[in-house]
Amino acid sequence: MFDWIEDILNKIREMNTSIDKYKKDTVIQSLPSFAYVNRAKKLIEKNYLLEAEYILNSALSLPQEDALVYKYLGIIAEKTGRKGDAIVAYKKSAKINPNDKDIWRQLGFALVSSNQAEEAAESFENANKLSPMNTDVYTGWGMALLKLKKYNEAHEKFMGASKIDKYNFMAMLLSAIVEMKLKQYDDAEMKLKFLASVSPNESNTYEYAHLKYLTNDYESAVHYAKKALTYNPNMLPAYVLLGELYYRLNDEVNSLAAYNQAFQKELINDNLYFEWGVALQVFEKYDEANEKFHKTLECNPMRNDAKAGLALYSAVTGDIDGADGMLKSLDSEYVNSYLGTKARGFLAFNRGEYSLAVELFKEILNQNSFDRSLVYYIAKSYQALGNDVLTKEYYEKSLKENPSHILSYIDFAKYLLIKQDYANCQRKLRRALKVDENNLEVLNLLFYVSYILVKDNVCEYNLKETLDIADKIISLNSEAFKYPNEKDELSDLLKK
């Protein structure tokens, strides 16, 4: 069971013997650590990391400190995933020998990967002084500046790295990412189109999809996001992007399927749950959205954007005090975010503050035109305010932008009934049946408005058509039919 331990010990014993011989043979007796370092380097090349680390740690007992010992201890620590230990070792090496042209670069990359961007930028600056015009140094330097959100400076470094080495595709990709942040979309397009064709991989293809998303070319973005998944089926950002692209295209089935696919592959984190919740509330599945926002907070209790989502759920469901209290606990950044503003809009709507509700809903639509259901609530608000012109305009707009929104058909029909616009009401209800042919509320309303119209234009065809509607309702649910007396009246008319 423990044979592997014995093997390692044997190797170490052999190495110790070899080192003793090397120390006797070496010309530089003043630096015996060279023997340890050279042996460790050979072991690292063979991926015997544990043995190499043992040898280097033995060298630490020598009276004279050697920068190379710490340098290679840092390399081993990085290879074994101990970023903190690697940084400590690299810093020690750089302190002993600050003129090592490689150590500052290695320290810089270790600091970048540990999100210590300020120190990383300083390390790459030191590296550049010792080894100017190095494409890797410029790339790392740009990465540190990118994390510091110094986009113009980062872009300069990435472009510099590409000029030094035109085959540094990583630098080209990163420069395109910065250009997207700076909204220099044409420049980013040129680079990403080149990378997607010459060096296709998950990163290049995904970023091209992201660029297409930013420029509102959603169909192309879907194509490239799917292509990124062919390179890496476990790429969570691609699934999340697909989910958002599909709800912007008003495709509920594919949008929710993208998040569910990521979940089935166990690519689970707080961002998946949050974006899934956003998609669900776009499609007015507020109960499910609320569940996902709670899951977000279970993964990351600091996600205040998810708390804004919970406030929205409370506002939509009429829990005015709960929503109000939750919003007051958030910073203005989240109160004025998409979900926070939507929560405030529904708070105003449920309080009867319809003018404010219209203002807030329109503010959301100006930034997030995909949230088509809000057009319906604007129409409802104008109806409550008694503005007939804008009520009709926004009901029509709701049906145009969201032709499957059954509530828009029903409430518009009820409004038209009140206004005695019976023919228009009948047309809207017939369109609604194409969305949901067995909707009992739509069928009842259609029967009633047809009953009114048929009495003004009595003919056998119209009577039979209207009575057929009544028979369909009764066949679906006899207790759901609301107009038995009117049906009897029409039946008598048909007999006569």
Side-chain angles (χ1 to χ4, degrees):
M1 179 177 177
F2 298 105
D3 290 346
W4 63 277
I5 297 177
E6 187 60 34
D7 289 342
I8 291 171
L9 291 173
N10 287 334
K11 287 175 185 174
I12 292 169
R13 291 188 194 103
E14 290 171 11
M15 282 182 276
N16 286 340
T17 304
S18 177
I19 287 168
D20 290 339
K21 184 177 183 298
Y22 193 100
K23 284 162 69 178
K24 290 177 183 176
D25 295 341
T26 184
V27 176
I28 311 173
Q29 293 295 325
S30 59
L31 287 175
S33 59
F34 278 7
Y36 292 87
V37 170
N38 285 332
R39 176 57 63 186
K41 284 169 66 176
K42 292 177 182 178
L43 289 167
I44 291 170
E45 288 171 6
K46 295 177 181 178
N47 208 33
Y48 294 147
L49 302 179
L50 182 63
E51 299 92 320
E53 187 168 20
Y54 178 88
I55 296 301
L56 291 168
N57 281 325
S58 299
L60 295 178
S61 62
L62 298 172
Q64 186 171 353
E65 288 188 314
D66 186 348
L68 289 175
V69 172
Y70 289 103
K71 181 177 181 177
Y72 285 100
L73 279 172
I75 290 170
I76 292 169
E78 269 204 282
K79 285 179 176 290
T80 53
R82 294 174 287 133
K83 293 178 183 178
D85 291 344
I87 290 169
V88 170
Y90 288 146
K91 283 183 176 180
K92 187 76 173 175
S93 179
K95 185 178 179 181
I96 298 168
N97 181 14
N99 295 316
D100 183 338
K101 64 181 183 180
D102 293 324
I103 194 63
W104 293 109
R105 174 176 54 81
Q106 288 169 292
L107 174 59
F109 279 112
L111 289 165
V112 165
S113 66
S114 298
N115 294 315
Q116 299 178 49
E118 196 79 53
E119 280 191 75
E122 293 174 7
S123 291
F124 286 118
E125 189 173 0
N126 288 335
N128 187 56
K129 290 174 183 176
L130 294 169
S131 180
M133 301 301 290
N134 181 293
T135 189
D136 291 334
V137 170
Y138 269 75
T139 303
W141 202 350
M143 290 167 69
L145 293 166
L146 178 58
K147 290 205 171 193
L148 292 169
K149 298 184 178 180
K150 296 180 178 180
Y151 299 129
N152 288 311
E153 295 175 55
H155 186 256
E156 180 189 339
K157 295 296 181 288
F158 293 137
M159 293 299 289
S162 295
K163 285 178 182 177
I164 296 165
D165 179 4
K166 65 181 180 179
Y167 296 107
N168 187 340
F169 292 151
M170 176 57 70
M172 187 182 293
L173 173 64
L174 290 168
S175 64
I177 290 171
V178 176
E179 285 162 358
M180 286 191 281
K181 291 184 178 295
L182 295 171
K183 299 186 178 180
Q184 297 171 2
Y185 298 136
D186 289 342
D187 293 336
E189 167 80 24
M190 182 173 63
K191 293 179 179 66
L192 290 171
K193 186 176 182 180
F194 171 80
L195 290 171
S197 59
V198 173
S199 179
N201 58 39
E202 62 189 87
S203 300
N204 296 338
T205 311
Y206 169 78
E207 291 300 340
Y208 199 22
H210 187 215
L211 173 65
K212 294 297 183 182
Y213 158 77
L214 291 173
T215 53
N216 300 323
D217 185 357
Y218 297 143
E219 297 289 354
S220 295
V222 167
H223 169 76
Y224 285 105
K226 285 182 174 179
K227 194 171 181 180
L229 288 172
T230 64
Y231 296 117
N232 181 3
N234 294 318
M235 190 179 192
L236 176 58
Y239 288 107
V240 172
L241 179 60
L242 275 174
E244 183 172 352
L245 287 166
Y246 279 124
Y247 72 63
R248 287 175 179 270
L249 291 166
N250 202 24
D251 186 342
E252 179 179 343
V253 173
N254 279 317
S255 175
L256 300 183
Y259 298 108
N260 191 53
Q261 282 178 321
F263 180 78
Q264 294 300 324
K265 289 179 174 290
E266 298 183 358
L267 307 174
I268 298 168
N269 63 15
D270 57 307
N271 199 50
L272 172 66
Y273 282 127
F274 176 76
E275 296 297 343
W276 200 348
V278 171
L280 285 162
Q281 64 84 38
V282 167
F283 297 113
E284 297 191 272
K285 296 180 179 292
Y286 288 106
D287 288 336
E288 294 175 59
N290 187 52
E291 177 196 342
K292 295 297 182 286
F293 292 137
H294 275 295
K295 289 284 188 182
T296 305
L297 290 169
E298 286 177 18
C299 294
N300 183 357
M302 304 305 291
R303 290 287 300 250
N304 285 325
D305 46 4
K307 292 176 184 177
L310 297 181
L312 170 60
Y313 175 76
S314 295
V316 168
T317 54
D319 181 6
I320 292 173
D321 291 338
D324 200 33
M326 208 169 297
L327 286 171
K328 285 178 179 176
S329 71
L330 297 175
D331 294 338
S332 61
E333 175 189 354
Y334 299 101
V335 173
N336 296 317
S337 67
Y338 161 53
L339 293 176
T341 303
K342 192 170 179 178
R344 290 187 290 126
F346 275 103
L347 269 177
F349 183 84
N350 286 324
R351 283 172 172 160
E353 299 169 355
Y354 296 111
S355 294
L356 177 58
V358 167
E359 180 185 330
L360 291 168
F361 289 148
K362 285 185 176 180
E363 181 184 329
I364 295 165
L365 285 169
N366 286 336
Q367 300 293 324
N368 305 282
S369 58
F370 58 80
D371 204 339
R372 300 166 185 85
S373 67
L374 291 184
V375 181
Y376 160 77
Y377 289 100
I378 293 173
K380 293 281 288 180
S381 298
Y382 278 130
Q383 184 177 346
L385 291 167
N387 189 324
D388 290 335
V389 173
L390 290 176
T391 297
K392 288 182 180 179
E393 179 184 327
Y394 274 89
Y395 271 130
E396 292 286 6
K397 188 176 181 181
S398 179
L399 293 177
K400 181 181 178 182
E401 295 190 9
N402 199 5
S404 63
H405 193 248
I406 202 71
L407 273 178
S408 292
Y409 288 105
I410 291 170
D411 285 351
F412 195 9
K414 288 178 179 178
Y415 170 77
L416 293 169
L417 267 176
I418 294 168
K419 297 300 176 182
Q420 298 182 356
D421 188 352
Y422 301 125
N424 195 14
C425 175
Q426 187 182 56
R427 283 193 293 272
K428 295 295 183 287
L429 290 167
R430 282 175 174 165
R431 281 177 58 193
L433 285 180
K434 293 179 181 178
V435 177
D436 186 355
E437 63 179 355
N438 294 324
N439 188 294
L440 293 171
E441 188 168 7
V442 171
L443 287 166
N444 269 294
L445 284 168
L446 182 58
F447 171 82
Y448 183 68
V449 74
S450 299
Y451 159 79
I452 293 171
L453 289 168
V454 80
K455 289 183 69 177
D456 289 337
N457 183 20
V458 177
C459 71
E460 184 177 358
Y461 177 80
N462 289 344
L463 284 168
K464 285 183 177 180
E465 185 181 47
T466 305
L467 287 167
D468 284 344
I469 297 168
D471 291 338
K472 181 174 183 178
I473 297 169
I474 292 166
S475 69
L476 291 169
N477 185 347
S478 59
E479 295 180 0
F481 184 52
K482 298 178 181 179
Y483 303 102
N485 294 334
E486 288 80 357
K487 178 179 183 294
D488 292 341
E489 185 181 346
L490 294 184
S491 297
D492 290 341
L493 279 172
L494 182 62
K495 289 175 185 176
K496 294 175 183 179

